[in-house]
């Protein structure tokens, strides 16, 4: 499988290659290259141009990427930065994305944090309005996205203006988020903990948010903000930059 994928990747990077050229490019023995090319052809992923004897990927090869979303891209780019930051600040970090009017944890460092009180967090969904990640999503998204998201949340949850949260009126909370440069949660969801969350951007859109969580009894919100905010924002920016480099 490893060799077959390497061959497919090599063909995808060049405008057609002969079998001998594939062998030279991949250092795979020529008989193996022929056998794997024929297998890939039988599966519909490559085709052979008999006039030039070159092999090329087919449209079927695009099906391999059809399920790949920007959120998946974010996850791959985020993990190394999350591990680095997690080892620095020790408190757990979650990568959350907006999914069907909920915030879903896509990756987490709870398993490596000595201060984590939760485990098995990946896949967990939480309310948008009651989490630091959800508030960061709303505060730093475009005005159009924010308006559409809020309209959907109000319709689904039967909310009426003004929306009042445990941390205050929603309008005030979002305004405070923009002033702080991060989403925040002091009260409400998971009352034993507090959190702040920084947006991860791609092409000026918020694709995900990076959230650090700490226990309220161990650290005040003000002290946590001083200790974590700049590092968290920097980590989120590093991930945003990594997305651009990955596309390039």
């Amino acid at each position: 499988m490893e060799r077959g994928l390497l061959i497919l990747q090599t063909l995808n990077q060049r405008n057609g290659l002969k079998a001998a050229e594939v062998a030279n490019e991949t250092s795979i023995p020529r008989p193996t290259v022929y056998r794997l090319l024929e297998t890939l052809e039988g599966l519909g992923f490559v085709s052979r141009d008999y006039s030039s004897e070159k092999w090329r990927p087919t449209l079927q090869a695009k099906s391999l990427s059809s399920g790949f979303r920007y959120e998946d891209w974010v996850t791959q780019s985020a993990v190394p930065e999350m591990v680095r930051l997690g080892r620095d600040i020790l408190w757990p970090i979650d990568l959350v994305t907006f999914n069907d009017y909920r915030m879903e944890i896509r990756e987490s460092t709870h398993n490596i944090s000595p201060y984590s009180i939760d485990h098995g967090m990946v896949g967990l969904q939480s309310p948008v309005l009651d989490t630091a990640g959800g508030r960061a999503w709303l505060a730093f998204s475009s005005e159009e996205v924010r308006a559409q998201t809020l309209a959907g949340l109000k319709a689904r949850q039967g909310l009426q203006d003004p929306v009042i949260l445990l941390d205050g009126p929603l309008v005030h909370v979002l305004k405070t988020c923009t002033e702080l440069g991060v989403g925040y949660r002091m009260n409400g969801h998971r009352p034993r903990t507090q959190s702040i969350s920084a947006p991860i951007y791609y092409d000026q859109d918020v694709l995900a948010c990076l959230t650090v969580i700490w226990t309220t009894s161990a650290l005040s919100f003000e002290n946590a903000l001083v200790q974590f905010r700049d590092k968290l924002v920097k980590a989120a920016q590093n991930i945003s930059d990594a997305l651009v480099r990955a596309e390039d």
Side-chain angles (χ1 to χ4, degrees):
M1 182 181 292
E2 181 180 356
R3 291 179 173 184
L5 290 173
L6 177 59
I7 288 173
L8 187 58
Q9 185 179 46
T10 301
L11 291 176
N12 193 48
Q13 293 170 348
R14 304 284 293 275
N15 186 26
L17 289 173
K18 295 181 180 180
E21 294 172 329
V22 173
N24 290 334
E25 290 272 347
T26 61
S27 299
I28 298 174
R30 192 178 301 183
T32 304
V33 168
Y34 276 113
R35 185 177 72 252
L36 290 173
L37 284 171
E38 289 174 350
T39 299
L40 289 169
E41 183 181 33
L43 294 171
F45 291 118
V46 301
S47 64
R48 182 180 181 183
D49 183 349
Y50 285 91
S51 61
S52 65
E53 292 298 319
K54 289 186 176 182
W55 295 81
R56 292 183 173 85
T58 65
L59 289 175
Q60 173 70 9
K62 287 190 175 183
S63 67
L64 296 174
S65 65
S66 62
F68 190 74
R69 303 174 296 175
Y70 281 123
E71 290 86 348
D72 302 309
W73 197 0
V74 172
T75 300
Q76 292 188 17
S77 299
V79 170
E81 193 67 26
M82 292 175 65
V83 171
R84 183 200 64 77
L85 179 61
R87 288 174 175 166
D88 179 17
I89 68 175
L90 300 181
W91 291 97
I93 301 162
D94 290 337
L95 177 76
V96 298
T97 59
F98 181 81
N99 181 20
D100 193 25
Y101 293 96
R102 303 279 287 178
M103 300 308 296
E104 180 177 343
I105 298 177
R106 300 294 300 273
E107 284 291 346
S108 177
T109 65
H110 278 274
N111 61 323
I112 65 171
S113 170
Y115 299 151
S116 174
I117 59 174
D118 297 301
H119 299 282
M121 301 297 287
V122 174
L124 187 69
Q125 293 187 333
S126 302
V128 174
L129 298 181
D130 294 328
T131 57
R135 294 171 183 179
W137 171 274
L138 289 172
F140 299 105
S141 287
S142 67
E143 186 175 339
E144 179 183 4
V145 170
R146 181 166 54 253
Q148 291 177 351
T149 304
L150 285 174
L153 287 170
K154 290 175 182 178
R156 286 175 174 235
Q157 299 178 18
L159 300 175
Q160 300 293 328
D161 288 324
V163 177
I164 306 298
L165 309 174
L166 289 179
D167 280 325
L170 176 61
V171 172
H172 170 74
V173 169
L174 295 183
K175 181 175 182 293
T176 304
C177 289
T178 58
E179 292 172 350
L180 294 175
V182 290
Y184 73 96
R185 172 185 58 82
M186 297 178 64
N187 301 290
H189 188 66
R190 295 186 178 273
R192 291 188 299 167
T193 66
Q194 295 178 332
S195 57
I196 57 174
S197 186
I200 296 170
Y201 294 95
Y202 178 74
D203 195 22
Q204 299 183 333
D205 293 325
V206 178
L207 289 187
C209 296
L210 200 63
T211 303
V212 58
I213 308 100
W214 65 92
T215 55
T216 310
S217 59
L219 200 61
S220 71
F221 182 83
E222 291 74 18
N223 286 337
L225 200 62
V226 171
Q227 293 183 38
F228 305 145
R229 177 174 57 181
D230 291 347
K231 292 180 178 181
L232 183 66
V233 170
K234 177 60 176 175
Q237 182 59 56
N238 289 343
I239 297 169
S240 300
D241 294 342
L243 296 179
V244 176
R245 291 195 301 270
E247 183 184 47
D248 293 341

